Structures are given as C-alpha cells and as structure tokens.
Amino acid sequence: MMSEILQGANEFYVEHDGEKAATIEFEPGSEGGEGPGVIMITHTFVSEELRGEGVGVDLVKQVVQYARDNELKVVPMCSFASSVMDKHTELQDVLV
C-alpha cells in the first residue's frame, strides 16, 4: 500500500491516523556552506507501524524528484537517506 506523501515546510511526510507517521526533512544548502542550489537531507523518521513498507525509501525518492524538478543537488546528511541513495543508482544523478 502506497501512502500519500504530503509536502510541508522543508519536509515531506506521510500521515497515519491523523499524525505524521513518517517524515524526511531537508534544508537549503546555503546555510550549511554548500551554496545555493543544494538541499541537505537532515533527518528521516518512519514510525513503527509503517516500518518495513518502503515508506522511508519512497520519501527519499520524493526529495530526489523535488530536487530534479527544482534543479537542485542533494547532500544526504542523514545515514538512512545516504544508504538509500547508495543502493539506488537511479537516484544518484542529484548528488553533489
């Protein structure tokens, strides 16, 4: 079952029972010294009830698509996003 991914302020998230059950957060890179045109994935969270369903991977893919749509590069600072992007070569075109 694919949950609907919603967009918030510098995040994408999935709701479950009216609560944020999974989130991926990112920041514009200019604050971190990476320069404009870069976003840094800073945190990924998936609740117990959604774990094992691929929701975290879907959230990383959503950020990659957002980056492509906005001509941005991605720095996966969170270990989960980094490991997903290592495993999925089709996501690596947006890496800095």
Side-chain angles (χ1 to χ4, degrees), residues 20-78:
K20 282 186 188 175
T23 61
I24 189 163
E25 299 168 10
F26 55 91
E27 297 175 5
S30 54
E31 293 168 19
E34 293 291 344
V38 175
I39 54 175
M40 299 174 297
I41 299 174
T42 54
H43 182 68
T44 308
F45 166 78
V46 178
S47 65
E48 290 292 331
E49 56 266 18
L50 294 181
R51 285 199 184 143
E53 295 186 21
V55 174
V57 173
D58 289 339
L59 287 169
V60 174
K61 289 179 177 177
Q62 186 70 42
V63 173
V64 168
Q65 190 57 54
Y66 172 83
R68 288 176 181 146
D69 292 346
N70 292 280
E71 297 182 14
L72 300 168
K73 291 292 187 182
V74 174
V75 178
M77 295 179 72
C78 105

Side-chain angles (χ1 to χ4, degrees), residues 1-12:
M1 169 198 99
M2 174 60 197
S3 302
E4 183 185 6
I5 296 176
L6 305 168
Q7 185 171 359
N10 289 343
E11 70 174 348
F12 290 99

